[in-house]
Amino acid sequence: MTDFPILSVIIFFPLLGSIVLLFIKRERADLIKTVALIFSIFEFILSLPLFFLFDETKKGMQFVEKYRWFPEWGISYFLGIDGISLLLILLTTFLTILCVLISWTDIKTKVKEYYISLLFLETAMVGTLCALDLVLFYIFWELMLVPMYLLIGVWGGPRRIYAAVKFFLYTMAGSVLMLLAIFALYYLFYKEKGVFTFNLLDLLGAHVPISLQYLLFAAFAISFAIKVPMFPFHTWLPDAHTEAPTAGSVILAGVLLKMGTYGFLRFAIPLFPKAAYDAIPIVSILAIIGIIYGAIVSMMQPDLKRLIAFSSVSHLGYVMLGMFAFNVQGVEGSIYQMLNHGISTGGLFLLVGMLYERRHTRMIADFGGLSSVMPLYATFFMIVTLSSIALPGTNGFVGEFLILLGAFKAKKIYGILGATGVILGAVYMLWMFQRVMFGTIKHEENKNLKDLCKREILIMCSIVFFIIFMGVYPKVFFKKMDTTVDEFLRFVKERNAYYQTMSAITVGRGEK
Amino acid sequence: MDVKFPLDELMLVAPELVICALGLFLLLIEALLKERARSIIPILTLAGGASAILILLELAEVRADVFFGLYSLDSLGILLKGLFLLILILITIVSMRYLEREDILQGEYYPLLLFSTFGMMIMVSSKNLLTIFIGLELMSLAVYILCGMLRENLKAAEASLKYFLLGAFASAFMVYGIALLYGSTGSLDIREYSQFISKGNYSTIFILGVALLLVGFAFKIALVPFHMWTPDVYEGAPTSITAFMAAGVKSAAFVAFLRIFYTAFLPIVKDWGGILWLIAVITMSYANVTALVQDNVKRMLAYSSIAHAGYILVAFVTGEKLLSSSIIYYLFAYAFMNIGAFTCVILLGRRGEENLDIDSYAGLSGRHPFIALCLTIFLLSLTGVPPLAGFMGKFYVFSTAIKAGYVWLAVIGVLNSVVAAYYYLRVVMYMYFKEPVKEIGEIDLSSPYVLVSLICIFFLIYMGVFPRDLMLLAERAVSSLF
């Protein structure tokens, strides 16, 4: 079993799916959907063994695959996962099934291209999460852009072109700078050790001069911060979220944004620990601004999808705050919050998508009193809303609680300011829920809305299952990441201390 | 002095001779052939190109200076000759249907294409300035005529005349530069210049000669501010010739430029490197910003080709010997991207109506998904999206710049490629996101076009995913520069 290249199979299985779709006649829309569904379900099933075979007591990367690709340059095909990427891969493969299901009736034009893009995107996402070679990582990272660009641009809302182009240019601008930073690191390592390599695990041992470290960290951090998105790089997100089709929003919120936070954890922080430590105040303050700003702006949004989009800015602010607390609680909470956000914000986008399919509007003002005509829908909406505002017993609570705990431990003021976001979060979500669900029905069209069909119930049940399961019994997931997070923190602290002494020595020399 | 012509050395230049002889032969038989039988001309051209490649493969390991040192066989020349023959073959396949549609005279077109290829092959395999110049002129003269092949078209006439006049000026600059260099050193062999420089007694005349040579090449490669002819000529010329110019002529000029400047003038790289730094920045920035506002796709691709010359210059400036292999790789990638993209441009046109405005591309994905997909792949490769060859080219070029310490140049370069992403994606956006706005008529998607598109896509993906083979070849090739 150990020799079976399971990660490669998981990465390229969806690609195989999209190639299969390429050869199906476009008139046979039902067949295309079914094939896409089968592939996405099999992909999930394929990824499940990872969870059970993953040895949580072992440090370092597992399921490693390494092949020479361009040995003269030190580029290799190098895959491996740890406790962090394991959970994110499962989230990706799980959400993709829901995306295929939710698009069943939603997407009516160019069905074939749609599912090809979706499966292709899955390959790129899983690849990004598995890659341990910087070039390979960059290739998958850039590859995510194209299908997402098409998803927003072809099947999106009225301002889709603007949103798609903005999305593409913003992310590309960030990533090209990261590419230059990768080169700089590569040559630095070569000068130091005499070996050309893009292997992340080797590069982690590089000694990066401190002044250079700030620059390189900045290049990586800006690229990832755009993806997260952190305030003030968030402006592409509301447009992209609002205009994307439902599945696009789900993927965007559920997985693509996590690539930014994952990038921090996997690359930016461990590669440049001293710079990361010194950036704590900046990142934390920006994260807190994001939390509060996102919440306040959400409150004022007339459009449901835009409201959720800004709430994402707020939620991702928590993730960043927790991560930069650099203690076990903060980092674990941050990773957990990444999963939560994928489930609950993904769930909210799914729900809004269902409503939009029925009424072709997302304006809060067009609704009201829906709970009486769509009781089932309202119930699901309530549960997901509560998860989003972190009610104890739901998954959201576990994540936010740990993050705030971590933040308090790191610096009280960050914790206090961060906690205000929880209150604001409850305000905008509950107010929105009240305006949409309660009261009397003001609009004639809303009286005959159909409640959820079986397919939609199935989708929502799976979301609710995870909301409650992850809220009540988080241990299953924490168990998988404990060792990884300990190892991560130990490594970062050690390296930071190393750089501290190095700089102390140089300063000492300077004084003499 | 008794000079005996080295007949046995003719064997070593057999690929060149095949191409040249075939050109002459086609000119002759064209007069004798009946109208219907003329379709044999492209077939013969293809056969000639293919056999030249086969002979070239036979000679691949031969390294020699022939004809009293006027002509050289080295790995750089051989690699590039292979590229030119490949370009010749691809362009010939594209032209088969295109000439018929536009009613271009086959009898002149193919021989001129062959002569031009012959010129390019000479250009890249000599270490003597005069031989290089002869190759350059042979290539240019043939292309001047080819640009004007659409005789009834005013724009084509303008393109041809403009190209000829400005090109003649550039040639004059270049030949004057060569004369000055000869005057101050007494030699035309570029290998002797570096020794001359290392003695340290080079004069202002010598520097002036280098500068004039640089201007001449900057014109041929279309670097800002010597690029003025490019958009008009690229737009007016028959599209197959535009592709030929973008892929072939530019590569040949770049490689001759590389050979002369890296072999002869590397010791004074500080003097010309600074100028080229500035030219690289201006070229990239100007061309990309101007391309943003082009609504004519052919013109947009013309500006994009100027911008790409700027990217290549980024690696050129560094003066790092071994890293110059990135230039060779980029030229290969660039050739396939451009031939592919221009093939798609040809496909959209009809006789007398080229449909070059971006509105013609609106909604293409619905009507012709195959063309839209192909063009998207070419444009993404031009943008530099992995895993296509265009990405690997940029990857290589910018890593070269970082390694040599040209950080700012690299930053400006990558930011420029973000600007470029906008106008490349704009075409993709029109094809996929918009509804058709105008009727462009029946599209002749016949097999030659499909074949060329698929070949180009194959190379772009292959070179992108497995860059190793070509990169190692390129590294070996540039080692022959010194």
Side-chain angles (χ1 to χ4, degrees):
Chain A
M1 194 65 199
T2 44
D3 292 336
F4 185 68
I6 186 161
L7 290 182
S8 294
V9 171
I10 295 174
I11 292 175
F12 293 107
F13 188 69
L15 187 68
L16 178 73
S18 54
I19 292 171
V20 169
L21 287 182
L22 207 58
F23 293 104
I24 301 178
K25 281 215 176 79
R26 62 184 64 250
E27 289 77 26
R28 309 187 61 183
D30 280 333
L31 181 65
I32 289 172
K33 289 179 206 167
T34 318
V35 170
L37 183 65
I38 290 170
F39 268 94
S40 60
I41 290 175
F42 265 98
E43 169 78 356
F44 182 59
I45 294 173
L46 273 174
S47 65
L48 278 180
L50 290 185
F51 189 77
F52 298 109
L53 293 175
F54 186 84
D55 183 355
E56 57 254 27
T57 54
K58 247 170 65 183
K59 291 175 188 169
M61 296 296 164
Q62 302 190 22
F63 304 106
V64 171
E65 287 171 38
K66 193 170 180 188
Y67 304 102
R68 283 139 53 94
W69 189 4
F70 195 154
E72 284 81 0
W73 281 27
I75 304 177
S76 56
Y77 178 81
F78 184 20
L79 304 174
I81 56 170
D82 61 6
I84 305 169
S85 35
L86 167 74
L87 296 174
L88 287 172
I89 290 172
L90 288 170
L91 179 72
T92 310
T93 53
F94 169 68
L95 284 179
T96 309
I97 303 181
L98 299 191
C99 287
V100 173
L101 280 174
I102 192 73
S103 313
W104 209 265
T105 51
D106 187 25
I107 301 299
K108 294 185 183 70
T109 53
K110 297 186 183 157
V111 177
K112 181 173 158 179
E113 284 86 348
Y114 180 83
Y115 288 101
I116 290 177
S117 307
L118 202 60
L119 288 178
F120 190 78
L121 182 61
E122 190 176 10
T123 286
M125 291 188 300
V126 179
T128 312
L129 291 169
C130 293
L132 291 178
D133 180 278
L134 286 172
V135 174
L136 190 65
F137 165 74
Y138 188 82
I139 287 176
F140 281 123
W141 173 269
E142 286 280 280
L143 214 53
M144 287 191 297
L145 284 184
V146 179
M148 197 63 218
Y149 170 74
L150 292 175
L151 281 182
I152 299 175
V154 179
W155 296 276
R159 284 173 71 239
R160 60 183 196 275
I161 293 176
Y162 170 77
V165 173
K166 193 169 174 182
F167 163 78
F168 195 101
L169 293 183
Y170 240 97
T171 1
M172 190 172 169
S175 51
V176 289
L177 291 178
M178 177 170 75
L179 184 64
L180 293 186
I182 292 176
F183 291 146
L185 188 66
Y186 170 72
Y187 287 119
L188 192 82
F189 190 79
Y190 173 69
K191 255 184 226 159
E192 193 191 354
K193 303 265 165 77
V195 190
F196 281 123
T197 183
F198 282 106
N199 181 332
L200 174 70
L201 302 185
D202 290 344
L203 290 173
L204 285 176
H207 172 81
V208 188
I210 289 165
S211 55
L212 189 64
Q213 204 172 124
Y214 289 126
L215 276 178
L216 299 185
F217 178 75
F220 271 78
I222 288 177
S223 169
F224 295 138
I226 288 174
K227 203 82 167 190
V228 169
M230 275 175 74
F231 181 87
F233 303 108
H234 66 281
T235 57
W236 64 271
L237 182 76
D239 291 312
H241 261 331
T242 315
E243 299 306 324
T246 305
S249 305
V250 174
I251 290 277
L252 203 55
V255 187
L256 251 55
L257 305 188
K258 306 304 160 352
M259 295 300 175
T261 45
Y262 170 77
F264 272 104
L265 275 173
R266 172 74 77 235
F267 299 99
I269 297 175
L271 281 172
F272 316 109
K274 171 86 169 66
Y277 261 91
D278 291 347
I280 289 177
I282 304 174
V283 174
S284 302
I285 289 168
L286 286 178
I288 290 167
I289 293 178
I291 293 173
I292 297 174
Y293 168 86
I296 293 175
V297 176
S298 285
M299 238 180 266
M300 293 297 118
Q301 295 302 319
D303 181 325
L304 277 173
K305 243 181 158 177
R306 247 186 131 73
L307 183 145
I308 303 170
F310 275 105
S311 85
S312 279
V313 176
S314 182
H315 283 281
L316 268 300
Y318 280 111
V319 176
M320 293 310 294
L321 185 66
M323 191 187 300
F324 274 77
F326 286 122
N327 49 36
V328 180
Q329 292 81 358
V331 174
E332 290 206 337
S334 151
I335 299 167
Y336 209 65
Q337 186 70 359
M338 289 188 213
L339 305 176
N340 292 338
H341 180 258
I343 302 273
S344 42
T345 306
L348 283 173
F349 277 123
L350 291 168
L351 285 164
V352 173
M354 294 171 188
L355 199 57
Y356 183 76
E357 226 183 302
R358 290 174 170 70
R359 276 282 272 115
H360 294 284
T361 172
R362 291 184 306 251
M363 293 298 149
I364 296 175
D366 288 339
F367 299 109
L370 290 190
S371 60
S372 57
V373 280
M374 304 169 76
L376 211 51
Y377 179 81
T379 316
F380 281 124
F381 209 124
M382 189 74 228
I383 297 171
V384 181
T385 306
L386 291 177
S387 145
S388 179
I389 58 179
L391 188 83
T394 64
N395 58 352
F397 173 73
V398 184
E400 273 185 21
F401 178 75
L402 280 175
I403 288 172
L404 291 175
L405 203 64
F408 264 113
K409 216 169 141 189
K411 200 162 185 181
K412 289 211 172 52
I413 184 74
Y414 295 156
I416 295 166
L417 287 172
T420 57
V422 181
I423 305 165
L424 290 170
V427 173
Y428 67 79
M429 287 308 286
L430 290 179
W431 191 35
M432 178 270 288
F433 188 79
Q434 181 203 339
R435 281 179 293 167
V436 173
M437 295 297 171
F438 297 144
T440 52
I441 299 183
K442 282 170 277 177
H443 298 271
E444 211 39 47
E445 304 94 313
N446 290 344
K447 280 197 178 133
N448 298 319
L449 284 179
K450 274 204 207 96
D451 210 346
L452 301 185
C453 69
K454 281 202 185 100
R455 175 177 56 88
E456 290 164 329
I457 293 175
L458 181 71
I459 295 173
M460 288 324 297
C461 279
S462 61
I463 291 273
V464 168
F465 168 75
F466 277 103
I467 286 178
I468 294 177
F469 182 65
M470 289 174 73
V472 181
Y473 197 59
K475 201 180 150 207
V476 185
F477 301 94
F478 281 117
K479 213 170 65 187
K480 294 287 169 192
M481 59 177 152
D482 274 338
T483 318
T484 309
V485 171
D486 283 341
E487 185 61 20
F488 168 78
L489 285 170
R490 188 194 60 74
F491 177 80
V492 174
K493 285 214 174 86
E494 206 172 79
R495 293 292 291 172
N496 183 41
Y498 162 75
Y499 282 114
Q500 295 284 8
T501 47
M502 288 301 288
S503 66
I505 291 168
T506 38
V507 168
R509 273 192 203 137
E511 278 165 1
K512 276 175 199 169
Chain B
M1 196 169 66
D2 184 28
V3 178
K4 206 166 149 244
F5 188 76
L7 270 180
D8 49 331
E9 287 177 354
L10 279 182
M11 273 310 291
L12 299 177
V13 292
E16 286 91 330
L17 290 182
V18 167
I19 296 297
C20 178
L22 183 67
L24 293 169
F25 175 70
L26 288 181
L27 271 186
L28 269 180
I29 63 159
E30 190 267 336
L32 307 172
L33 282 176
K34 292 217 174 65
E35 189 66 40
R36 272 190 306 140
R38 291 219 170 123
S39 58
I40 197 167
I41 295 177
I43 309 281
L44 283 175
T45 313
L46 281 182
S51 50
I53 286 190
L54 288 179
I55 302 171
L56 194 67
L57 288 177
E58 279 295 306
L59 297 173
E61 295 306 322
V62 180
R63 306 279 175 274
D65 283 338
V66 290
F67 306 124
F68 314 107
L70 291 176
Y71 204 79
S72 307
L73 296 164
D74 59 9
S75 41
L76 180 66
I78 288 169
L79 185 62
L80 264 292
K81 277 189 253 181
L83 175 67
F84 299 147
L85 291 172
L86 213 54
I87 292 173
L88 172 75
I89 290 175
L90 289 176
I91 297 291
T92 309
I93 302 176
V94 170
S95 306
M96 287 167 135
R97 296 285 294 183
Y98 180 64
L99 294 197
E100 221 169 273
R101 188 178 91 198
E102 302 290 336
D103 205 11
I104 295 173
L105 296 174
Q106 299 192 357
E108 280 94 44
Y109 181 91
Y110 291 106
L112 284 170
L113 212 53
L114 287 164
F115 289 143
S116 177
T117 310
F118 179 49
M120 293 180 199
M121 292 166 86
I122 295 177
M123 254 176 102
V124 296
S125 20
S126 177
K127 291 181 175 131
N128 184 292
L129 282 180
L130 214 53
T131 317
I132 294 176
F133 182 73
I134 291 171
L136 183 114
E137 279 301 281
L138 182 56
M139 169 189 85
S140 304
L141 284 170
V143 174
Y144 297 147
I145 309 170
L146 284 169
C147 284
M149 283 302 243
L150 289 166
R151 279 175 308 176
E152 289 113 68
N153 188 325
L154 262 182
K155 276 193 171 164
E158 183 201 337
S160 182
L161 187 67
K162 203 173 217 172
Y163 193 26
F164 172 67
L165 285 177
L166 290 174
F169 258 106
S171 296
F173 271 110
M174 201 179 274
V175 87
Y176 193 35
I178 293 174
L180 290 177
L181 288 174
Y182 182 67
S184 58
T185 64
S187 170
L188 284 169
D189 193 315
I190 54 175
R191 279 164 293 193
E192 288 176 23
Y193 290 142
S194 55
Q195 289 163 13
F196 181 77
I197 292 169
S198 59
K199 282 183 199 141
N201 55 352
Y202 53 92
S203 56
T204 326
I205 303 269
F206 183 82
I207 294 290
L208 196 62
V210 176
L212 288 174
L213 213 55
L214 197 149
V215 171
F217 277 115
F219 174 87
K220 286 289 167 200
I221 300 167
L223 300 174
V224 179
F226 308 102
H227 69 287
M228 300 295 182
W229 57 277
T230 317
D232 291 337
V233 174
Y234 274 34
E235 191 193 347
T239 313
S240 55
I241 294 306
T242 312
F244 184 68
M245 282 197 285
V249 173
K250 189 168 271 194
S251 305
F254 239 117
V255 171
F257 191 26
L258 181 73
R259 190 193 282 282
I260 294 176
F261 274 68
Y262 270 51
T263 307
F265 307 131
L266 207 54
I268 49 167
V269 63
K270 282 207 176 61
D271 294 322
W272 50 266
I275 299 169
L276 284 185
W277 192 99
L278 195 64
I279 291 184
V281 170
I282 299 175
T283 302
M284 290 187 288
S285 312
Y286 173 83
N288 278 321
V289 172
T290 318
L292 286 179
V293 293
Q294 302 299 326
D295 279 331
N296 179 320
V297 173
K298 214 167 155 188
R299 248 183 127 76
M300 183 274 276
L301 285 173
Y303 279 107
S304 110
S305 91
I306 300 175
H308 280 272
Y311 300 138
I312 299 175
L313 217 51
V314 169
F316 204 106
V317 170
T318 61
E320 291 265 344
K321 295 178 179 177
L322 274 172
L323 295 178
S324 57
S325 55
S326 59
I327 299 173
I328 309 296
Y329 182 89
Y330 204 105
L331 289 173
F332 270 78
Y334 180 73
F336 294 116
M337 301 189 272
N338 264 297
I339 293 178
F342 281 114
T343 305
C344 294
V345 171
I346 289 179
L347 274 170
L348 250 68
R350 260 185 309 167
R351 167 124 208 228
E353 196 178 343
E354 287 200 277
N355 288 324
L356 294 176
D357 52 328
I358 197 160
D359 280 337
S360 308
Y361 290 76
L364 194 68
S365 69
R367 288 180 294 178
H368 296 283
F370 176 75
I371 304 176
L373 182 68
C374 289
L375 188 53
T376 305
I377 291 176
F378 299 133
L379 290 169
L380 288 178
S381 181
L382 285 163
T383 314
V385 173
L388 299 165
F391 165 73
M392 271 298 159
K394 285 207 173 101
F395 180 91
Y396 206 178
V397 162
F398 291 126
S399 81
T400 302
I402 292 280
K403 183 173 186 195
Y406 288 82
V407 177
W408 279 111
L409 194 58
V411 170
I412 295 170
V414 292
L415 290 180
N416 257 295
S417 69
V418 178
V419 175
Y422 177 80
Y423 59 80
Y424 293 129
L425 286 178
R426 187 158 165 249
V427 180
V428 178
M429 175 193 101
Y430 267 78
M431 292 192 299
Y432 280 91
F433 303 173
K434 296 218 166 180
E435 293 304 314
V437 287
K438 73 182 234 196
E439 193 47 54
I440 54 167
E442 200 62 28
I443 282 182
D444 165 37
L445 188 61
S446 50
S447 47
Y449 297 128
V450 177
L451 182 66
V452 170
S453 303
L454 291 181
I455 291 175
C456 290
I457 289 177
F458 168 77
F459 274 109
L460 289 180
I461 293 178
Y462 181 79
M463 285 167 60
V465 179
F466 303 103
R468 184 161 174 261
D469 304 331
L470 182 60
M471 293 242 186
L472 292 183
L473 269 182
E475 272 172 19
R476 227 181 62 178
V478 293
S479 64
S480 68
L481 282 176
F482 325 103

